[in-house]
Amino acid sequence: MKVIKPKLKVLIVSDSAEKAKLLFSKHKKDIEIVKKDPDIVVSFGGDGTFFKSEFLYPNIPKLYLKNSYIGKLAHKEPNDKILDLVVKGKYTIKEKTKLEIIHKDKKMEAMADVLIHNHDPFMAIRMKVFLDDVLIQEQDIIGDGILVSTQIGSTGYYKSITRSYFESDDQIGLAFNNAIEQVSHIVLKKERVIKIKITRGIADIFADNQIENWELNTGDILEIKCSPNKMKVIKV
């Protein structure tokens, strides 16, 4: 008796969804395009679309197909070759660290980085930074803000600030944006907990390319640590 292989259910996240569907045209026998309950989510675009796909559909394996020449996190091979391998089951799923951001009773997650930035571009913010509740320096850090990055995000904004990146998913990076006094960036084990207290000024908080952002005022404390949830990335 012939066993019929079930189709792989694929949900597409893209600003060019119709173009993306053309990639699957020769795999109609193996792949079904769906709008809910997918087996995998395909991100067709650049790195921003990749992060958006995880925000919209967390905990579902993500396949990144590139529709942008600057997609740094995408596979180097052509999309057709990637799809051929996925259909044949020749892939693995890698779990990648995400960040959890907590302020009072609110939480959000980031795949790449969290940016704490001065609300008023003409006024620096003053901050105190704690690692595991230990103050890293007595003097306030004064500048445009702070960036906390995962390994995935370390080749983006983190690299533009520090001129460096890190390759281990067991680490997170802490970078200081235009600090008045020279403050070196720090690469931390992912078990560390970062707390940032605003001592003067107003700061805006952004996670990846998400639309939602928070505002911190003087005296507010933001906690950043690794999330118990992981981003599941398909690698061929």
Side-chain angles (χ1 to χ4, degrees):
M1 182 177 179
K2 185 178 180 181
V3 177
I4 299 175
K5 180 183 175 183
K7 289 186 177 182
L8 184 68
K9 295 181 180 179
V10 172
L11 187 149
I12 300 171
V13 176
S14 177
D15 292 332
S16 306
E18 293 306 313
K19 181 180 177 181
K21 289 178 182 179
L22 294 176
L23 293 172
F24 298 91
S25 58
K26 74 172 186 177
H27 295 293
K28 289 181 180 180
K29 293 182 179 179
D30 303 297
I31 290 176
E32 178 186 359
I33 306 300
V34 298
K35 294 185 177 180
K36 63 179 183 179
D37 301 324
D39 297 315
I40 68 170
V41 171
V42 169
S43 168
F44 182 66
D47 290 349
T49 303
F50 184 47
F51 300 142
K52 179 182 178 182
S53 70
E54 174 66 14
F55 172 69
L56 294 174
Y57 302 99
N59 304 318
I60 301 172
K62 304 295 180 307
L63 176 63
Y64 184 171
L65 298 181
K66 189 164 62 174
N67 190 33
S68 170
Y69 71 94
I70 56 173
K72 292 184 178 180
L73 301 174
H75 288 92
K76 305 304 180 186
E77 295 82 0
N79 288 335
D80 284 343
K81 182 177 179 180
I82 298 299
L83 273 178
D84 287 342
L85 292 170
V86 169
V87 166
K88 294 174 183 176
K90 295 182 178 181
Y91 64 89
T92 58
I93 297 176
K94 302 290 187 182
E95 292 191 337
K96 305 295 289 184
T97 293
K98 297 165 66 171
L99 297 173
E100 183 177 66
I101 308 99
I102 303 170
H103 174 51
K104 297 180 179 177
D105 60 345
K106 298 186 296 183
K107 289 184 181 181
M108 61 179 169
E109 291 185 330
M111 283 63 73
D113 49 44
V114 182
L115 176 64
I116 299 93
H117 200 278
N118 52 330
H119 180 79
D120 185 344
F122 299 104
M123 182 175 291
I125 49 176
R126 293 176 180 260
M127 302 160 285
K128 288 192 181 297
V129 179
F130 302 81
L131 296 179
D132 301 327
D133 292 321
V134 177
L135 192 62
I136 67 169
Q137 68 174 43
E138 289 295 332
Q139 184 180 359
D140 281 3
I141 295 171
I142 305 171
D144 290 346
I146 289 176
L147 185 82
V148 181
S149 171
T150 65
Q151 182 272 326
I152 282 182
S154 72
T155 57
Y157 196 9
Y158 179 88
K159 185 178 180 181
S160 72
I161 295 173
T162 67
R163 301 301 173 190
S164 66
Y165 64 96
F166 49 95
E167 296 182 343
S168 174
D169 191 56
D170 289 328
Q171 297 173 321
I172 55 176
L174 175 60
F176 302 90
N177 196 359
N178 290 331
I180 291 176
E181 301 293 336
Q182 183 63 40
V183 185
S184 296
H185 63 278
I186 308 171
V187 179
L188 305 162
K189 288 290 186 182
K190 65 180 183 181
E191 294 80 15
R192 306 296 296 273
V193 177
I194 301 166
K195 290 184 181 178
I196 299 165
K197 181 177 181 180
I198 305 299
T199 56
R200 194 189 75 178
I202 302 173
D204 293 322
I205 314 303
F206 302 93
D208 297 331
N209 57 345
Q210 298 174 29
I211 296 174
E212 180 186 8
N213 63 83
W214 299 343
E215 184 178 283
L216 296 186
N217 294 283
T218 300
D220 283 346
I221 297 175
L222 188 73
E223 181 178 303
I224 303 170
K225 59 184 179 181
C226 287
S227 170
N229 302 314
K230 301 285 187 178
M231 184 177 189
K232 298 175 182 177
V233 182
I234 293 174
K235 295 289 186 180
V236 300

